[in-house]
Amino acid sequence: MTAVRKGIQESVLPRNIMPRSAEEALQLGATYIGGGTDIMPLLKHRVRNDGNLVFLKDVSDLKGIREEDGFLSLGAGETLSDIENNALIREKWPAVAEAASVTASPQIRNIGTVGGNVMQDRRCIYFNQGVLWRSNFGLCFKTGGTLCMQIPNSKVCRAIYYSDMATALLVYDAEAEYLEEGVLHRVPLQELIGRHIRANGLACSKHLPVLIRRFFVPEAPGDERSAFYKYSMRSTIDFPLINFAVRCGTDARPAKLIAGAVSVEPVELNETAEKWNEGAVTDDALQAVCEAELKKKALLIKEALIGPNNKREMFRLVRMLFPLRHPD
Ligand SMILES: Cc1cc2nc3c(=O)[nH]c(=O)nc-3n(C[C@H](O)[C@H](O)[C@H](O)COP(=O)(O)OP(=O)(O)OC[C@H]3O[C@@H](n4cnc5c(N)ncnc54)[C@H](O)[C@@H]3O)c2cc1C
């Protein structure tokens, strides 16, 4: 702790607040810590200066992976390792297990939670830097200013949302159950992510004051095939350069395709999904539709390892999911 103490202000040092129930955590308010793998580097770099950190590790209502009334009920405090290794999830919601298995590194997966993954900060090369480096520039949207360093005439923050788990959960129409100001809500996950994204593009101290308890993922039709694909520079640790999740259409529900790490939030590729549903279309034609749709919908910026032009080349990686169209 001494080394950390030198780097950050006393006021942001974690206070050992460890509630045992969601209600108790809610009363304590402030900033929640799942595994801390996303937020701790931001506190250390003084990009965020939240005080009163509330550790969720012992909150029992945030735990558990079970089937409940036709849904997977997934505790927000479950670690990515537990999700990756859960037999039920692997069998019925394979894209969720696959996404968990390739997020970050094994060490991070052992403590990082699915709640923290979905609520992770959006990232940008001008924001995820130490305080000295950033002192050369003015304040951007995320640090309380009114400027996007990437796209100076942009009216909003263009930092990218890199969550691997969100892409996978959204492809199955997941819902989120959360507490906000003492009231329990259950909404489509897409809606909660939308609110998080908007709040997260403003000063970080204005983060969304919600405590996610569980995710509910509807049971997939028995004959539905689904999968997740991620491309990153170093597969053992890096954030995605792009990710995709797909469910193939069945009589019970149509195909759905989500792309992540290409914009401020996950992008639903509904034109591509419609073509996917048609079945008769060739792989080449489907890939062309997907690339054209992503060119319209992606909001690209300069990233640590890649610029927008090279990133556009990665749109074609959707093809890695096409074997699902030809199971035989
Ligand atoms: C080297 C490195 C590589 C990484 N690679 C990836 C990657 O490939 N893919 C990827 O998606 N992520 C990656 N991450 C980001 C992060 O580690 C993971 O997203 C992880 O799952 C975050 O979970 P956590 O519990 O540690 O989050 P925390 O850091 O604890 O929390 C993150 C945010 O979520 C909020 N939060 C946490 N739990 C809740 C809750 N129950 N309700 C409401 N808010 C909550 C916190 O307040 C905080 O704002 C990487 C991080 C590092 C350091």
Side-chain angles (χ1 to χ4, degrees):
M1 185 55 93
T2 321
V4 176
R5 216 174 262 278
K6 278 184 193 150
I8 58 177
Q9 295 161 345
E10 194 69 26
S11 62
V12 302
L13 281 174
R15 288 184 19 215
N16 198 14
I17 308 176
M18 300 189 76
R20 293 191 173 269
S21 74
E23 282 69 22
E24 198 189 332
L26 200 71
Q27 277 163 19
L28 293 161
T31 298
Y32 303 115
I33 307 292
T37 60
D38 192 61
I39 195 171
M40 286 304 176
L42 299 176
L43 294 173
K44 190 175 156 196
H45 285 142
R46 282 185 270 166
V47 185
R48 287 181 66 146
N49 63 354
D50 314 43
N52 295 345
L53 306 181
V54 175
F55 289 76
L56 300 174
K57 195 167 99 27
D58 294 335
V59 178
S60 54
D61 340 15
L62 269 56
K63 294 282 159 58
I65 301 176
R66 51 184 177 263
E67 277 184 298
E68 216 172 83
D69 305 327
F71 287 84
L72 163 69
S73 169
L74 172 60
E78 288 294 337
T79 65
L80 302 178
S81 295
D82 285 339
I83 294 170
E84 164 189 0
N85 295 316
N86 185 274
L88 176 69
I89 301 182
R90 288 165 82 110
E91 185 197 333
K92 295 197 172 176
W93 296 275
V96 172
E98 285 161 21
S101 74
V102 292
T103 295
S105 64
Q107 293 85 349
I108 290 175
R109 293 198 289 275
N110 283 341
I111 53 168
T113 64
V114 56
N117 188 286
V118 167
M119 297 300 278
Q120 66 179 257
D121 260 74
R122 288 197 272 143
R123 301 174 68 83
C124 162
I125 50 171
Y126 293 97
F127 168 75
N128 295 86
Q129 299 285 352
V131 73
L132 183 63
W133 192 95
R134 279 183 295 110
S135 66
N136 289 311
F137 300 98
L139 293 179
C140 73
F141 285 110
K142 268 168 87 70
T143 46
T146 52
L147 174 69
C148 174
M149 311 294 281
Q150 291 269 2
I151 317 280
N153 62 0
S154 174
K155 299 259 184 296
V156 291
C157 166
R158 291 278 292 267
I160 290 185
Y161 179 62
Y162 288 99
S163 168
D164 281 314
M165 295 304 289
T167 301
L169 288 166
L170 287 173
V171 92
Y172 296 115
D173 303 330
E175 298 167 12
E177 182 188 81
Y178 63 90
L179 284 155
E180 185 171 15
E181 292 179 356
V183 181
L184 189 63
H185 302 263
R186 181 162 160 175
V187 301
L189 177 58
Q190 194 178 5
E191 184 182 316
L192 180 64
I193 290 177
R195 286 186 62 205
H196 165 59
I197 292 306
R198 283 188 295 281
N200 193 240
L202 299 170
C204 290
S205 55
K206 300 204 172 28
H207 68 270
L208 212 57
V210 304
L211 173 61
I212 305 179
R213 283 205 336 181
R214 314 198 71 77
F215 298 96
F216 289 97
V217 193
E219 186 150 355
D223 54 344
E224 186 179 270
R225 297 184 303 281
S226 52
F228 176 87
Y229 172 77
K230 163 180 178 173
Y231 181 79
S232 58
M233 207 56 93
R234 295 168 300 173
S235 58
T236 47
I237 188 154
D238 279 329
F239 282 89
L241 284 175
I242 197 161
N243 66 33
F244 295 98
V246 70
R247 68 174 199 226
C248 295
T250 65
D251 291 342
R253 60 178 184 181
K256 187 169 180 182
L257 185 59
I258 307 283
V262 291
S263 181
V264 299
E265 61 188 314
V267 169
E268 182 170 351
L269 299 168
N270 42 332
E271 292 165 25
T272 313
E274 265 173 43
K275 279 277 170 216
W276 190 299
N277 264 325
E278 283 174 18
V281 66
T282 64
D283 284 359
D284 286 346
L286 190 60
Q287 181 182 327
V289 172
C290 184
E291 286 187 54
E293 188 173 11
L294 269 169
K295 276 182 186 143
K296 278 189 286 182
K297 294 183 172 174
L299 287 176
L300 302 182
I301 56 173
K302 274 182 261 159
E303 297 172 67
L305 299 164
I306 194 170
N309 288 338
N310 288 336
K311 183 102 176 206
R312 275 184 210 102
E313 294 291 310
M314 286 180 185
F315 295 170
R316 67 191 155 85
L317 291 174
V318 68
R319 192 143 187 152
M320 302 305 283
L321 290 171
F322 287 1
L324 229 58
R325 305 182 68 216
H326 317 288
D328 307 320

